[in-house]
Amino acid sequence: MTRQINVALLGFGTVGSGTAKILLEQAELLEKRAGCPVRLKWICDKDLVTDRGFPVPREILTDDLAKVMDDPEVHIFIELIGGLEPARTFVLDAISRGKHVVTANKALLAVHGHEIFRAASDNGVEVGFEASVAGGIPVIKAVREGLVANNIHTVLGILNGTANYILTRMTDEGMPFDQVLREAQELGYAEADPTYDVEGVDTAHKLAIMSTLAFGMPVGLDDIYTEGITRLSPLDIAFASEFGYSIKLLAIGRRHDSGIDLRIHPTMVPQKHLLAQVGGAYNACYLVGDSVGKVMFYGMGAGQMPTGSAVVADVVDIARDVFTESVGRVPSFGIPVDMLSQPEFMPMEKLSGCYYFRFAAKDRPGVLASIAGVLGKYNISINSCVQKGRGDQEGPVPIVMVTHEALEADVRKALKEIDNMDIVLDSTMIIRIEELDSL
Amino acid sequence: MTRQINVALLGFGTVGSGTAKILLEQAELLEKRAGCPVRLKWICDKDLVTDRGFPVPREILTDDLAKVMDDPEVHIFIELIGGLEPARTFVLDAISRGKHVVTANKALLAVHGHEIFRAASDNGVEVGFEASVAGGIPVIKAVREGLVANNIHTVLGILNGTANYILTRMTDEGMPFDQVLREAQELGYAEADPTYDVEGVDTAHKLAIMSTLAFGMPVGLDDIYTEGITRLSPLDIAFASEFGYSIKLLAIGRRHDSGIDLRIHPTMVPQKHLLAQVGGAYNACYLVGDSVGKVMFYGMGAGQMPTGSAVVADVVDIARDVFTESVGRVPSFGIPVDMLSQPEFMPMEKLSGCYYFRFAAKDRPGVLASIAGVLGKYNISINSCVQKGRGDQEGPVPIVMVTHEALEADVRKALKEIDNMDIVLDSTMIIRIEELDSL
């Protein structure tokens, strides 16, 4: 019988440090809880940094990956390198050697998840990925185990802390996107290249993982419509507020009779809804199940210690399985990979909902009539309309409309026509509205 | 090897029906997820009701408890009878026969938990109790497994849907307690005898369970200061709102250097805090851990299907352990009962915080000075004070104060003295304020 679980950590950056700190400093607590000692045997990184603000025994630090991979005593590899390669190669290598893997790498799982989970299944090892979605919030475990009695039909997530921080600042201070982003970069809340965060790609990675789990179907990045927050102006946020909404970068996954629909885009949610209250760098995942009804999980979606908390939770879970010889007790996605059903997707064109449009039109008589005429032609009916004088500003006048329920296909056709009109000076800003009934 | 898990349900009331409905209607889904068939073999109730809105095979319904208890094929007993006896006897009997138990019975666990978990440990069986706290929200699993890497130092809970519904209605409509309660009873949201809900007893049961789990110490009802919401008036709610607070019946558990403090009382929380946004019959559990930081779990804390969802989650968890022969993989409280540490409690008198007082004083010169004088004597400094004319109303004039941080012991002494003054006509209303820093 296994008497001690040995762990090797690959990657000693931010999350790696948090993970190592917990494993080293809370070793006694974790032993009580796991039922056996969980020992951090190796920290492997190409930079042999020892000073991360807590004492690291020199002898566990190494840059010799081959030695760590070859160590027959290691039960669990924690991959915190990030990115696709060499992370993918390391993970597949570890799996092929019969080692369990814990990772926080959402990009890796969203892109190569199929290959990795298949390999894990074939090799009889576990892959823990709690830290890959919503950081410290134990949402993967909640869906896979806590909500096991449910068919989940809705997943709504605020899954990127950087984007949510930027939107919160834009809302609270009325500041433009570029300025907030610059500030966030200076404070270390946003990366030098923020593309993944602000263009919704990181959120799409997480939705791919969450929806595979929640809907029991393999989902890839290509199945997700993805639109970021870079085009939002303080104007849109001010108008949203006037209409009673907050703008959030929402991950949306819904099960319809005709298939699932998956998308990431700036979304107006009623200001009174709990999701609208999720501010700053916090994340939230809101789910609706057929038995449990509405549930929401809230917490820090990133950061050294919160993400470390999720990584260590997976390590302890796997340690318990190894220790009680019940490896594979819960499959990665709640059911064996072979049982995932073939996904059917609902084309976005078939969705209907309410829309916010901001037209950039010439300040000239008849403009409103022309725009409204095109909308009417495509059965898009206007709920409210605001046109404000442009004051001292040069350039186009913003005309803002909120529609009644309309079909996405009609909206696309109408906007294409409108954006081609010579009275319209810039492409129309479109924000989808989620009329979440109530809490 | 076990090829099928057999389940017997004791109690076919509201939650029993929800549980049976899920086990019967979702049998195929649950088999995929549990890795083996989970079969509802018996529904045992003294009333042989068959019509619960879904088809129940007549042959699984029985009122013969002895037959069910003696059935060697049953692996898991689900106790949904409620109350202390005969539930306690049945549970201990099942455990002594080597059967696993799942229960939603918070009163039973809060009062007889020590005996039950000890017996389970001695007999090598599992006791699942996810449904006993916060209904469908998988908060027990979250704390025990998802947050395993954390020392939890704060637990804040809105754990009684009836009380929260009443407070929400009082807040939204300005209605008095009695009227809302009567309405809630007519709608079936409150029981004929609402004592446990409105006096905080049910919330205390749940805090006892949550704090045993979160702090790793056995906690009993006597360790919890418990105060209900029956004395709150619409006046208090209106004043709270004026000061920027909402009033919630909060379960509070905190780990201090000198011990843990546990209490249930009406609490003012900042209106902008996420807990203040939890309305109606919803529950929320807000936790702070040393690694994860702040997390919150939100959802329905009661009801047929949400509670059934939690019961079935426990059944599937135990089924997986039986199926993979890893019974006892996770101890009930995350660590073996022997390892629970002896609790030290911080006497409430030693706590300090801000307070709201509503004095019922005679409308006479010098009253404010006399009250303020006593407060000053006990080092209680006033942050703001509101005295409103009584208009056409007869009786005492409300004088309302919010204090700076003060010591509970001083507050108790001061109020004792003030309530004995002949210018004060009724005992002072006191509401504690939780200045939760931010989300």
Side-chain angles (χ1 to χ4, degrees):
Chain A
M1 194 167 115
T2 311
R3 307 208 66 88
Q4 172 177 286
I5 304 298
N6 295 307
V7 177
L9 172 61
L10 311 184
F12 197 38
T14 304
V15 177
S17 309
T19 301
K21 187 172 155 70
I22 298 171
L23 288 173
L24 292 171
E25 294 185 353
Q26 303 294 340
E28 199 182 330
L29 181 77
L30 295 173
E31 177 174 346
K32 270 165 70 175
R33 293 181 175 172
C36 61
V38 178
R39 172 183 167 215
L40 180 58
K41 192 171 180 196
W42 299 113
I43 298 175
C44 183
D45 200 293
K46 58 184 186 316
D47 301 323
L48 292 175
V49 183
T50 48
D51 182 21
R52 292 288 188 192
F54 59 97
V56 177
R58 184 62 191 82
E59 66 274 16
I60 70 172
L61 256 180
T62 179
D63 58 0
D64 186 349
L65 178 67
K67 180 179 70 180
V68 174
M69 295 300 282
D70 285 340
D71 183 344
E73 286 192 346
V74 171
H75 300 90
I76 305 172
F77 280 88
I78 306 176
E79 181 277 306
L80 297 173
I81 303 163
L84 299 184
E85 284 294 355
R88 173 182 156 276
T89 302
F90 294 167
V91 164
L92 290 172
D93 186 15
I95 289 171
S96 74
R97 293 163 188 249
K99 310 294 187 178
H100 308 286
V101 170
V102 173
T103 179
N105 193 333
K106 52 262 177 182
L108 178 66
L109 296 182
V111 176
H112 298 298
H114 189 73
E115 182 184 17
I116 289 168
F117 291 109
R118 164 65 56 205
S121 173
D122 292 345
N123 286 275
V125 300
E126 299 189 0
V127 177
F129 54 102
E130 182 65 79
S132 69
V133 180
I137 315 170
V139 68
I140 299 291
K141 180 174 277 279
V143 174
R144 187 170 54 197
E145 301 169 38
L147 303 178
V148 71
N150 290 265
N151 291 295
I152 294 190
H153 50 79
T154 303
V155 175
L156 300 176
I158 295 174
L159 300 178
N160 184 280
T162 305
N164 202 50
Y165 172 83
I166 292 174
L167 289 176
T168 304
R169 295 274 294 166
M170 287 176 74
T171 306
D172 292 351
E173 326 280 339
M175 283 159 64
F177 173 81
D178 292 333
Q179 191 184 338
V180 180
L181 173 61
R182 227 169 14 246
E183 267 194 31
Q185 284 169 323
E186 282 161 18
L187 292 166
Y189 294 167
E191 310 210 23
D193 178 359
T195 314
Y196 269 31
D197 294 323
V198 300
E199 294 294 4
V201 182
D202 175 75
T203 304
H205 288 149
K206 292 164 179 168
L207 181 62
I209 297 168
M210 273 305 289
S211 46
T212 300
L213 182 62
F215 304 132
M217 306 170 176
V219 168
L221 277 188
D222 293 344
D223 305 320
I224 302 174
Y225 170 83
T226 304
E227 184 188 316
I229 59 170
T230 52
R231 281 193 66 218
L232 289 174
S233 87
L235 258 183
D236 298 315
I237 288 174
F239 279 121
S241 167
E242 227 170 277
F243 291 118
Y245 299 106
S246 291
I247 301 179
K248 294 290 179 191
L249 180 63
L250 222 59
I252 301 173
R254 277 215 179 82
R255 191 198 290 267
H256 305 263
D257 291 339
S258 55
I260 56 175
D261 103 77
L262 303 169
R263 47 208 163 97
I264 316 289
H265 52 64
T267 311
M268 290 193 181
V269 293
Q271 275 164 345
K272 291 203 155 250
H273 194 276
L274 215 52
L275 276 170
Q277 315 288 335
V278 174
Y282 279 86
N283 279 21
C285 193
Y286 180 95
L287 303 155
V288 189
D290 57 356
S291 291
V292 77
K294 298 158 186 168
V295 288
M296 191 177 101
F297 306 94
Y298 164 91
M300 282 302 289
Q304 180 178 33
M305 299 312 293
T307 312
S309 169
V311 169
V312 173
D314 273 344
V315 169
V316 170
D317 239 10
I318 295 176
R320 283 170 167 155
D321 287 349
V322 173
F323 191 62
T324 60
E325 297 178 342
S326 58
V327 164
R329 179 182 168 279
V330 183
S332 298
F333 289 109
I335 52 173
V337 278
D338 297 331
M339 288 193 183
L340 291 174
S341 47
Q342 215 34 48
E344 279 185 57
F345 297 101
M346 183 168 179
M348 191 146 170
E349 288 74 14
K350 291 199 175 166
L351 290 173
S352 63
C354 300
Y355 293 79
Y356 160 101
F357 301 134
R358 176 168 52 80
F359 302 102
K362 286 187 187 163
D363 193 2
R364 176 187 299 181
V367 164
L368 190 57
S370 308
I371 290 174
V374 177
L375 293 175
K377 188 171 112 187
Y378 290 102
N379 294 308
I380 300 165
S381 127
I382 298 161
N383 186 351
S384 44
C385 175
V386 179
Q387 180 173 356
K388 296 219 167 151
R390 74 174 161 215
D392 296 337
Q393 300 265 302
E394 285 293 308
V397 173
I399 299 172
V400 165
M401 289 180 193
V402 167
T403 72
H404 286 291
E405 200 157 295
L407 199 65
E408 174 88 17
D410 289 336
V411 166
R412 291 186 180 188
K413 279 182 230 154
L415 291 194
K416 194 171 173 196
E417 200 165 318
I418 289 169
D419 286 355
N420 275 330
M421 291 161 68
D422 63 358
I423 50 165
V424 170
L425 299 171
D426 199 357
S427 62
T428 300
M429 182 69 201
I430 163 177
I431 304 177
R432 292 164 187 90
I433 298 173
E434 284 287 326
E435 283 300 351
L436 307 160
D437 29 340
S438 71
L439 294 184
Chain B
M1 193 166 116
T2 312
R3 307 208 67 87
Q4 173 176 285
I5 304 297
N6 295 308
V7 177
L9 172 60
L10 310 184
F12 198 38
T14 305
V15 178
S17 309
T19 301
K21 188 171 154 72
I22 298 171
L23 288 173
L24 292 170
E25 294 186 351
Q26 303 294 341
E28 198 182 331
L29 181 76
L30 295 174
E31 177 174 346
K32 268 166 70 175
R33 291 180 177 174
C36 61
V38 178
R39 172 183 167 215
L40 180 58
K41 191 172 180 195
W42 298 113
I43 298 176
C44 183
D45 199 296
K46 55 186 190 315
D47 302 322
L48 292 176
V49 183
T50 48
D51 182 19
R52 294 285 190 195
F54 58 95
V56 177
R58 183 64 191 82
E59 66 275 15
I60 71 172
L61 256 180
T62 178
D63 58 1
D64 186 349
L65 179 68
K67 180 179 72 180
V68 174
M69 295 300 282
D70 285 340
D71 183 344
E73 286 193 345
V74 171
H75 299 91
I76 304 172
F77 279 88
I78 306 176
E79 182 276 306
L80 296 174
I81 303 163
L84 299 185
E85 283 294 354
R88 174 182 155 276
T89 303
F90 294 168
V91 164
L92 290 172
D93 187 16
I95 289 172
S96 73
R97 293 163 188 251
K99 312 292 189 179
H100 308 286
V101 170
V102 173
T103 180
N105 193 332
K106 53 260 174 183
L108 178 67
L109 296 183
V111 176
H112 298 298
H114 189 73
E115 183 184 16
I116 289 168
F117 290 109
R118 163 65 55 202
S121 173
D122 291 346
N123 285 276
V125 300
E126 299 189 1
V127 176
F129 53 103
E130 183 65 79
S132 69
V133 180
I137 316 171
V139 68
I140 300 290
K141 181 173 276 280
V143 174
R144 188 170 53 198
E145 300 170 39
L147 303 179
V148 70
N150 289 264
N151 291 293
I152 292 190
H153 52 78
T154 302
V155 175
L156 300 176
I158 295 174
L159 300 178
N160 184 279
T162 306
N164 201 52
Y165 172 82
I166 292 174
L167 289 176
T168 304
R169 294 274 294 165
M170 287 176 73
T171 305
D172 292 351
E173 325 280 340
M175 283 160 65
F177 174 80
D178 291 335
Q179 192 184 339
V180 179
L181 174 60
R182 229 170 12 247
E183 267 194 32
Q185 284 170 324
E186 282 161 17
L187 291 167
Y189 294 168
E191 310 210 22
D193 177 358
T195 314
Y196 269 32
D197 293 325
V198 299
E199 293 295 3
V201 182
D202 174 75
T203 304
H205 288 149
K206 292 163 179 169
L207 182 62
I209 298 168
M210 272 306 288
S211 45
T212 300
L213 182 63
F215 303 133
M217 305 171 178
V219 167
L221 278 187
D222 294 343
D223 305 321
I224 302 174
Y225 170 84
T226 304
E227 185 189 316
I229 59 170
T230 53
R231 282 193 65 220
L232 289 173
S233 87
L235 260 183
D236 298 316
I237 287 174
F239 279 121
S241 166
E242 227 169 275
F243 291 120
Y245 299 106
S246 291
I247 301 179
K248 293 290 178 189
L249 180 63
L250 221 59
I252 301 174
R254 275 216 181 82
R255 193 198 289 265
H256 305 264
D257 290 340
S258 55
I260 56 175
D261 102 79
L262 303 169
R263 48 209 162 96
I264 315 290
H265 53 64
T267 310
M268 290 194 181
V269 292
Q271 274 165 345
K272 291 204 155 244
H273 194 275
L274 215 53
L275 277 169
Q277 315 288 335
V278 174
Y282 278 87
N283 279 19
C285 193
Y286 180 94
L287 303 155
V288 189
D290 57 355
S291 290
V292 77
K294 299 159 185 167
V295 288
M296 191 178 101
F297 306 94
Y298 164 93
M300 282 303 288
Q304 181 178 31
M305 300 313 292
T307 311
S309 168
V311 169
V312 173
D314 273 344
V315 169
V316 170
D317 239 10
I318 295 176
R320 282 170 168 156
D321 286 349
V322 173
F323 191 63
T324 60
E325 297 179 342
S326 58
V327 165
R329 180 182 167 277
V330 184
S332 297
F333 289 108
I335 53 173
V337 277
D338 298 331
M339 288 194 185
L340 291 174
S341 47
Q342 216 35 48
E344 278 185 59
F345 297 101
M346 184 168 179
M348 192 147 168
E349 288 73 13
K350 291 198 175 167
L351 289 173
S352 63
C354 300
Y355 292 80
Y356 160 99
F357 301 134
R358 177 169 49 82
F359 303 102
K362 287 189 186 159
D363 194 2
R364 177 187 299 182
V367 164
L368 190 57
S370 307
I371 290 174
V374 178
L375 294 176
K377 189 171 110 188
Y378 290 102
N379 294 308
I380 300 164
S381 125
I382 299 161
N383 187 350
S384 43
C385 174
V386 179
Q387 181 174 356
K388 296 220 166 150
R390 72 173 162 217
D392 296 337
Q393 300 264 305
E394 283 294 308
V397 173
I399 300 173
V400 164
M401 288 179 192
V402 167
T403 72
H404 286 291
E405 201 157 294
L407 199 64
E408 175 89 16
D410 290 335
V411 166
R412 291 186 180 188
K413 280 183 231 158
L415 291 194
K416 195 172 173 195
E417 200 166 316
I418 289 169
D419 286 355
N420 276 330
M421 290 161 70
D422 63 356
I423 49 165
V424 169
L425 299 172
D426 198 359
S427 63
T428 300
M429 182 69 201
I430 163 177
I431 304 177
R432 292 165 188 88
I433 299 173
E434 284 287 327
E435 284 299 353
L436 306 159
D437 30 340
S438 72
L439 295 183

